[in-house]
Amino acid sequence: MQTPPDPAYPTHWEADVVLRDGGTARIRPIAPDDAQRLVSFYEQVSDESKYYRFFAPYPRLSDRDVHRFTHHDYVDRVGLAATVGGEFIATVRYDRINEQGLPAKDPGDDQAEVAFLVQDAHQGRGVASALLEHIAAVARERGIRRFAAEVLPANTKMIKVFTDAGYTQQRTFEDGVVRLEFDLEPTEQSLAVMRAREQRAEARSVQRLLAPGSVAVIGTGRAPGGVGRAALRNLLDSGFTGRTHAVNHAFPPELDRLDPEGVPAVRALREIPGPVDLAVIAVPADRVPDVVRDCGEHGVQGVLILSSGYAESGPEGRERQRAVLRQARSYGMRLIGPNAFGLINTAPAVRLNASFAPRMPAAGRIGLFTQSGAIGIALLSGLHARGPGDGGIAGISTFVSAGNRADVSGNDLLQYWYDDPETDVAILYLESIGNPRKFTRLARRTAAVKPVVVAKGARHSGTAPPGHAVPTVRIPDSTVAALLRQAGVIRVDTVTELIDAGLLLASQPLPAGPRIAILGNAEALALLAYDACLTEGLRPLRPRVLASSATPDDFRVALAEALARDDCDAVVVTAVPWVGEGSAVSASEREVAALAAALRTGAATGPAKPVAVVHLAMDSLAEALAAPPGPPPEPSPDPTAPTAHGPHTAYEAHTTHETRTAHPTVTADEAATSPHPRPAAPAPTTPGAPDSAQATEAPAAPAHIPAYPAAERAVRSLAEAVRYAAWRRAAAEPGRVPEYDDIQEAAAGADIARLLDRLTPGADTGRSVPLPPDDAASLLARYGIHILPALPAPDPDTAVRAAARLGYPVALKTTAPHLRHRADLGGVRLDVANETELRRTYAELTDSLGSPEELRPVVQAMAPRGVDTVIRAAIDPAVGAVLSFGLAGAPSQLLGDIAHRLIPATDRDVADQIRSIRAAPLLFGWRGSQPVDTGALAELLLRVSRLVDDHPEVVGVDLEPAVVAPHGLSVLGAAVRLARAPATTDLGPRRLPVY
């Protein structure tokens, strides 16, 4: 085979990856100027590892070896290196071979021999596994479909790398050598292995940031005040359990301790005798590179950059940001920021507050991620107001506010929270989504075990904050929200809704259904809750209204009875202050505490179902319900003294409830049975369940009950929980992506490569081109999508010949863009029965609408009558690959009645998609019409989804109209757009993004 004299260096193969221990490495092609790095690397490899690589003692590389291992054509011979600090820590190479195992001469040879060498100090970090993913992707790009590797039996670590990768493989043993051969086509198992490794590595990298054993605050001022000194003060006040150091190059040489904090003070990191796990950087932006270099040389695991002056300040700042990210990753460090607010870990073993938050938040079960420092402050403040104190309803487990999120992003936190036992609910405020496809994948997986609540800023402007380099959103925000919900994400609009939903999900079990019982001591407030339930699509039962003088024990009994009802899935309790003597409104602290205790007791005695409380003019009730449960209140000095709510004392509300049987006074009938009974639902799981299956036993009653000052807020949060629980139940039995025997995936891939070479020679990645109609039809046919033929009719005689070929009746249509699919404008003439009628119709068309050159008419055979639909698939930068469906014409174009699903879509997804549009009754026999073949429609949607999912080069498919008849369907028009696949997609090997 011919080797280019000067092969171009493939920069798109470069990637930063997270290794098993949470550190990072850079993977890149080996180039001729790497000769000295290769020699130095080889000198640090043990004799045993060299023996395993070359099957013989090989103490040093010859000049010929060095030349061979650093000069590649990047097609038949490729070498990749993993580097840390610019130095090699591992290498991998492949050489294309023929069937006899000799160097390949035929371009059709699709097998290569692969070999690895990992420096002993870095073995066990997952370097070889990461290199295998990347060299396999490179090989597939170069037309190689199979790897072969020969390994000594004693080299068990390398054998395990191959066998654990998940590829289809064969293993033989001959002449004392194990020979492994495996296909490089990704399998379900290989993708699962890759993503499991990705999750463990990225979660570990975040864990190293959140639980450091030692922290250095670099840029600590010599005098009180300033950013660095404030960060140090907050760190110390939080009770951080690790070692703390203050670093400032301007400290006097004689200063070894910073007072009044009493922290060791040094002028440079190298003066710190032990390791530093986390560096908090608070120096001007122009000094950050020097500080990051010092951190890397000292072996710091991660850096938190509080400094501003980066991408948020303009193009120059963006370049500074990218440079500091490259620098940090070159040393194997993760980076939070720049322009970050900080990070917090409330775990008792850590107690880390490396942020600008002056107060350590309460410990709890909520994980928080924000990109905005201001929103971070609002969230922390709002949660503190709703439940101060460790163990309260509003406590957090971890908090990260990433600022410009050059490196660590919401995706990393989802990886960490996925199996973090201290986090039950993940709350994220996002201003941009850098890797949308990965975000939806991670959110879907995390949501299967715990709720993910997201609010997104910059929804409608189409722009992101200055510090964020992200794609522009092309679809409406309502569509983005629908797609996120498909992934199990609970999408809310405001910070208040983030807190409201988070508190309920963190403290209550998931509801088994939408049936809501309402009770309280004020009819008006109960009716507001009832109306709010209807607005949110819930099924409220008739409210049970207690007397205005109802005691805490009355509330307890009513709540327990409501929870015990088989037709109730959740309860909303409404409460207003009691009316005392002289019509005075009274709600003493003692009485509120008694009511809170009674509600907790009522929730504990009934089945475990979610309970939410709505209160008016009783803010102290929310505080009492949010606080950790304590002992019952002490009795009053005079147990017989009357209170504003009746003759019972607060203490009696606790001590007499076992013998009390009378029902409280009501002003409405008892709640009626739901008018739509349904089978009993399985017991709901708690939000932090280890898997998505429903629990067989009801969980313990919650220790906290969320309270809201408005019925609408409580019901909205409950409705989100109902929808999320329904999604969880469906996710426990997911749909499937069907396999169709007639799909020709490989042939379609070859067609796409040929078409791209012909239509976009040397085109930039991402620029799409439309396929000519015949090529589009041929490509779609590879996936069993057949387009009804349409023949050009540039003149009447040609139209007549085309109709004779197709057979009458026919349709005469224009294909001009402004008239395409516009029967209302006369651009489509149907049921043309014969030649005479065709000539007359042709003349009418051209006389009224324009010349044939302008109209570009075609003749097409008539399809069976049915419902006209439109099916589209596109790659949207905001959410990834999207499958869209609606009825053609006014419903989709005028009313926006279109349903969207993420690709790959399952059979369950498309069945729901078809039924979710408002015009769906037209497909199912509306007003006596004949139902159409929705099974054929679902199959067409699934085939389009498969095409786009299998081939990322297909960036647009438009089928319009697809006429769905009572039996079968016909696709009358199709358009396909192709673009060269981006170098980095979520389908490729693991890599960290670069923003």
Side-chain angles (χ1 to χ4, degrees), residues 815-853:
T815 59
H818 65 289
L819 294 172
R820 188 177 178 85
H821 310 308
R822 294 299 305 273
D824 56 319
L825 297 181
V828 180
R829 308 295 176 93
L830 305 177
D831 289 317
V832 180
N834 51 53
E835 178 181 344
T836 302
E837 186 176 344
L838 177 58
R839 290 184 181 276
R840 184 180 69 251
T841 302
Y842 195 99
E844 292 173 354
L845 193 71
T846 54
D847 289 344
S848 61
L849 297 178
S851 67
E853 292 77 12

Side-chain angles (χ1 to χ4, degrees), residues 199-226:
Q199 188 274 325
R200 289 192 298 268
E202 294 181 1
R204 173 60 179 156
S205 72
V206 173
Q207 192 270 339
R208 298 202 314 179
L209 294 166
L210 288 170
S214 61
V215 176
V217 181
I218 305 174
T220 305
R222 288 173 288 177

Side-chain angles (χ1 to χ4, degrees), residues 389-559:
D390 288 347
I393 192 174
I396 70 168
S397 59
T398 47
F399 166 85
V400 174
S401 183
N404 294 358
R405 66 115 176 86
D407 183 19
V408 173
S409 69
N411 285 349
D412 295 285
L413 270 295
L414 286 176
Q415 299 278 41
Y416 174 74
W417 287 327
Y418 169 69
D419 55 7
D420 175 31
E422 305 302 320
T423 301
D424 288 342
V425 177
I427 293 180
L428 301 95
Y429 174 81
L430 305 175
E431 294 171 333
S432 58
I433 302 176
N435 189 337
R437 185 163 187 155
K438 182 175 180 179
F439 176 80
T440 52
R441 169 171 63 84
L442 299 185
R444 185 193 296 265
R445 185 191 60 189
T446 305
V449 296
K450 60 187 67 173
V452 178
V453 189
V454 172
K456 187 176 182 301
R459 301 193 305 271
H460 302 295
S461 64
T463 61
H468 300 231
V470 293
T472 301
V473 177
R474 294 176 184 163
I475 57 179
D477 179 68
S478 59
T479 303
V480 175
L483 294 173
L484 290 177
R485 288 189 186 280
Q486 185 198 349
V489 173
I490 299 169
R491 169 74 183 274
V492 299
D493 294 328
T494 68
V495 171
T496 300
E497 290 175 355
L498 273 178
I499 296 173
D500 285 348
L503 293 184
L504 187 138
L505 291 163
S507 63
Q508 303 298 298
L510 294 178
R515 301 167 301 180
I516 312 299
I518 302 169
L519 64 94
N521 62 348
E523 184 176 16
L525 188 55
L527 290 176
L528 284 175
Y530 184 91
D531 290 342
C533 287
L534 293 175
T535 300
E536 292 292 337
L538 302 177
R539 289 159 51 186
L541 309 180
R542 186 176 304 163
R544 178 175 179 177
V545 183
L546 311 178
S548 59
S549 60
T551 67
D553 196 52
D554 296 333
F555 274 91
R556 177 196 62 78
V557 172
L559 176 57

Side-chain angles (χ1 to χ4, degrees), residues 3 90 104 213 220 235 240 254 273 368 386 465 485 539 635 646 722 730 804 869 885 891 942 964:
T3 301
T220 305
L235 183 65
F240 177 54
E254 65 276 7
L368 291 179
R386 298 286 287 274
R485 288 189 186 280
R539 289 159 51 186
V722 168
T869 66
F885 164 75
L942 288 166
V964 189

Side-chain angles (χ1 to χ4, degrees), residues 702-988:
H704 309 294
I705 300 176
Y708 303 86
E712 296 80 8
R713 288 171 56 181
V715 171
R716 188 179 300 117
S717 299
L718 192 56
E720 295 292 0
V722 168
R723 288 187 282 265
Y724 168 68
W727 180 89
R728 274 272 286 267
R729 289 190 291 271
E733 298 179 2
R736 64 185 185 90
V737 178
E739 295 289 338
Y740 297 107
D741 294 337
D742 59 340
I743 286 181
Q744 304 171 35
E745 182 178 347
D751 289 347
I752 290 169
R754 174 178 51 79
L755 289 167
L756 284 172
D757 288 341
R758 190 183 86 202
L759 300 173
T760 62
D764 293 336
T765 297
R767 187 175 70 84
S768 65
V769 294
L771 289 187
D774 290 345
D775 291 322
S778 298
L779 177 60
L780 291 168
R782 299 286 193 189
Y783 273 72
I785 302 169
H786 300 287
I787 312 304
L788 203 63
L791 302 179
D795 55 67
D797 292 338
T798 306
V800 169
R801 289 194 295 271
R805 177 178 170 186
L806 296 173
Y808 289 99
V810 297
L812 180 65
K813 306 190 300 185
T814 68
T815 59
H818 65 289
L819 294 172
R820 188 177 178 85
H821 310 308
R822 294 299 305 273
D824 56 319
L825 297 181
V828 180
R829 308 295 176 93
L830 305 177
D831 289 317
V832 180
N834 51 53
E835 178 181 344
T836 302
E837 186 176 344
L838 177 58
R839 290 184 181 276
R840 184 180 69 251
T841 302
Y842 195 99
E844 292 173 354
L845 193 71
T846 54
D847 289 344
S848 61
L849 297 178
S851 67
E853 292 77 12
E854 180 184 0
L855 299 180
R856 289 177 274 175
V858 297
V859 174
Q860 192 171 45
M862 284 296 299
R865 296 285 185 175
V867 178
D868 288 4
T869 66
V870 56
I871 296 171
R872 295 188 177 96
I875 306 297
D876 186 273
V879 290
V882 178
L883 180 68
S884 304
F885 164 75
L887 299 193
S892 58
Q893 295 177 0
L894 182 63
L895 303 178
D897 187 17
I898 303 174
H900 306 274
R901 292 296 182 270
L902 295 172
I903 291 175
T906 67
D907 53 357
R908 177 175 291 180
D909 290 333
V910 300
D912 177 70
Q913 182 179 20
I914 291 170
R915 288 161 177 79
S916 65
I917 59 173
R918 296 191 298 277
L922 294 173
L923 301 168
F924 295 95
W926 183 65
R927 300 184 69 177
S929 61
Q930 188 173 3
V932 299
D933 193 346
T934 53
L937 176 60
E939 180 177 328
L940 179 60
L941 284 162
L942 288 166
R943 288 178 180 272
V944 173
S945 172
R946 277 287 309 274
L947 171 64
V948 175
D949 190 50
D950 290 345
H951 305 284
E953 300 89 352
V954 179
V955 297
V957 176
D958 190 336
L959 307 182
E960 183 179 5
V963 182
V964 189
H967 301 286
L969 56 76
S970 303
V971 181
L972 305 188
V976 177
R977 298 190 70 88
L978 299 183
R980 296 191 182 276
T984 60
T985 70
D986 191 45
L987 302 176

